[in-house]
Amino acid sequence: TYMEIVYKGTMRIDGKPRMPGVELNGRHISFGDTVEGYAFLFVRWRNLLVGACCACVSAGWQEIDQAGFIFGKLVLIDNELFLCRSLNVGKKEGDPNEWDDILDELGEDDSIWHWDEQGFFGQEREMNVEGHLIPVLRGKASARTYIDEQQVLCSAVLGGLGFRPVLEPYGTPCPIAETLVGQKINLFIGNGLIAGTLKDFNDYDLTLNVLLDSSPDIDSAWMIVSDNGDVIIDRSQIRRSCLVKEGLG
């Protein structure tokens, strides 16, 4: 089976480039531009880039979700916009899901997918017999295995379990213009992201009413918080801008 291998982007732990398989252990994870020697390996499947291995292990479902990478966080990699997320894996054998479709089309070779002794979280959760939500895990014994870990709560962190990233193209960037005033936009500054409603702009800066659920991850040197809480941002530091899609900040 033909498959396209793509080296795209670099994972950063606490802001420093790292190779896949690192233990997260509560540290901050992000994805950004490709750094030579630290490029992440993906396999192209339809319109997605699917991680050939776990980006990090010793990470819990809840921890990955809080970082934004279970259901999707917008990232800018080499001037391309992506939603970086986890796979849909189904709750039980026979459920339609992305992971089994990928294996059906591209094969189960461990030398490609690195599932041996390394499990990964899907987006799904289910209720165990004690009434606790537990994450659905795949891998380790075989590519298609549903890992029976009835006591692995979403908050639990175990070695050998982690996050397999997927990059989903997000859409077309849009330049700052009058048509965007009053609309919700994402701004990429450095390797960080801030989202909010565009209130005003000129040739030098813009004013943003930051979304309540947005978590600015940018250098504060490039922005000033006004008396009314709006944020004024130096336009020269903005790499890309795009509209916020419904349900994504």
Side-chain angles (χ1 to χ4, degrees), residues 175-183 185 187 197-209 231-235 238 241:
I176 300 299
E178 287 289 347
T179 54
L180 291 185
V181 174
Q183 298 200 55
I185 61 173
L187 298 177
T197 301
L198 179 63
K199 297 188 68 175
D200 194 13
F201 71 95
N202 57 40
D203 290 341
Y204 306 102
D205 50 45
L206 59 76
T207 303
L208 200 69
N209 184 282
V231 173
I232 301 171
I233 298 173
D234 182 349
R235 286 189 65 183
I238 298 173
S241 56

Side-chain angles (χ1 to χ4, degrees), residues 154-192:
C154 290
S155 59
V157 175
L158 294 177
L161 302 177
F163 166 49
R164 182 187 294 270
V166 174
L167 296 181
E168 179 180 344
Y170 187 81
T172 305
C174 52
I176 300 299
E178 287 289 347
T179 54
L180 291 185
V181 174
Q183 298 200 55
K184 295 176 182 178
I185 61 173
N186 293 295
L187 298 177
F188 290 89
I189 301 176
N191 284 313

Side-chain angles (χ1 to χ4, degrees), residues 134-149:
I134 60 171
V136 178
L137 296 152
R138 302 293 299 269
K140 279 202 168 184
S142 75
R144 296 183 188 268
T145 297
Y146 279 88
I147 302 173
D148 185 17
E149 297 278 8

Side-chain angles (χ1 to χ4, degrees), residues 28-43:
H28 181 264
I29 180 175
S30 61
F31 288 83
D33 292 338
T34 306
V35 175
E36 186 175 357
Y38 293 91
F40 200 91
L41 178 63
F42 291 94
V43 179

